[in-house]
Amino acid sequence: GSWFSPFGWRTRALLLAKQVPVTWIELRASELREALAFAQAMTTPLLVDDSEGTDLVFKDGWSIAQHIETRFPEPRVFPAAHRPAIALFHGMIDDACQIPGFAAFSPDYFANGVIAGADEAMFRNIVDRATGRSVEANAAIQQQLIAEFRRRVNSFELQLEGHQWIFGEFSYADITLFSCFKCFATVARGIEPVFGADESFPRLKDWYQRMHVHCHINDPY
């Protein structure tokens, strides 16, 4: 269940960009408690590194990223010149992009069948806590929420002026932002609902496709 999760996407894109060999285990939201009990965790992503003969467990995307950068330093995603800015960017991304986008596209998790069955009640609680509204309330004002989300996205469009990457060179900042857009495109069944089908956000659209190539991602969204 991690491929419609922005947090799962952060780790997936990171590991694919660095071509780190891993065994992926996908879980439904309703399976998390039992499956992750060994680590006393309830959320994904979770990484177990058993390469040194002892299991090292990392329970969130940021600690996973730090560990992977140490174990597999090339290609770098935390270039020294930008490390403080990347940490700040990562800390701000939820308020700047993730939560507004989640509010805008949360109805699509249900309308497009991404969330169903045993996962539905749990996910409804997540929507309520994250957005302050029910799925139905978000659906009633979805176009308004999408418009607000796109206004926020414009700052990232401006950031890319004259650059291929957020800070001029590829970094974990690009992975963090990409993970937001990628999860929304997955649940909305296309990138057009995220950026719009018109000529808006040309730099972001080019960057989004460039991220797929750079991270060796080949899927329909």
Side-chain angles (χ1 to χ4, degrees):
S2 57
W3 306 149
F4 59 77
S5 161
F7 310 108
W9 267 112
R10 287 177 198 178
T11 295
R12 186 184 189 193
L14 168 71
L15 295 174
L16 289 173
K18 287 180 174 283
Q19 294 289 274
V20 177
V22 296
T23 299
W24 301 103
I25 300 175
E26 297 187 37
L27 300 171
R28 300 181 64 87
S30 56
E31 298 171 335
L32 293 177
R33 182 181 300 277
E34 181 177 356
L36 303 182
F38 76 96
Q40 296 182 323
M42 269 290 292
T43 60
T44 59
L46 184 145
L47 176 75
V48 179
D49 182 350
D50 61 359
S51 59
E52 301 297 328
T54 301
D55 288 351
L56 300 175
V57 180
F58 301 89
K59 302 181 184 182
D60 64 86
W62 184 254
S63 64
I64 291 171
Q66 300 298 305
H67 175 67
I68 292 298
E69 181 81 343
T70 301
R71 289 273 287 107
F72 302 91
E74 298 298 334
R76 291 210 169 273
V77 298
F78 289 94
H82 301 297
R83 183 177 286 269
I86 293 168
L88 180 62
F89 189 89
H90 180 269
M92 296 174 61
I93 200 67
D94 283 349
D95 287 338
C97 183
Q98 182 57 48
I99 293 175
F102 183 59
F105 296 103
S106 60
D108 294 330
Y109 281 83
F110 298 86
N112 291 334
V114 178
I115 294 292
D119 293 342
E120 184 168 341
M122 177 182 291
F123 206 76
R124 283 182 173 276
N125 288 333
I126 292 172
V127 173
D128 288 346
R129 291 198 306 271
T131 72
R133 291 179 298 269
S134 68
V135 175
E136 290 75 17
N138 285 324
I141 57 170
Q142 186 171 26
Q143 293 311 306
Q144 174 185 331
L145 293 171
I146 289 175
E148 171 59 26
F149 168 72
R150 289 178 183 164
R151 281 193 291 271
R152 290 170 175 264
V153 163
N154 191 58
S155 63
F156 303 116
E157 175 76 9
L158 297 175
Q159 181 75 17
L160 286 168
E161 185 174 6
H163 304 290
Q164 281 199 320
W165 309 109
I166 294 296
F167 291 126
E169 59 182 313
F170 179 75
S171 74
Y172 194 66
D174 296 282
I175 289 174
T176 303
L177 183 60
F178 174 76
S179 70
C180 297
F181 296 141
K182 188 64 178 173
C183 96
F184 301 146
T186 299
V187 301
R189 299 295 190 247
I191 195 59
E192 290 80 9
V194 179
F195 291 140
D198 58 13
E199 299 303 314
S200 301
F201 310 116
R203 300 185 197 102
L204 273 172
K205 289 174 179 175
D206 287 347
W207 166 86
Y208 185 75
Q209 297 307 321
R210 198 157 51 246
M211 283 294 297
H212 280 78
V213 174
H214 200 82
C215 296
H216 310 281
I217 296 170
N218 181 23
D219 64 28
Y221 310 120

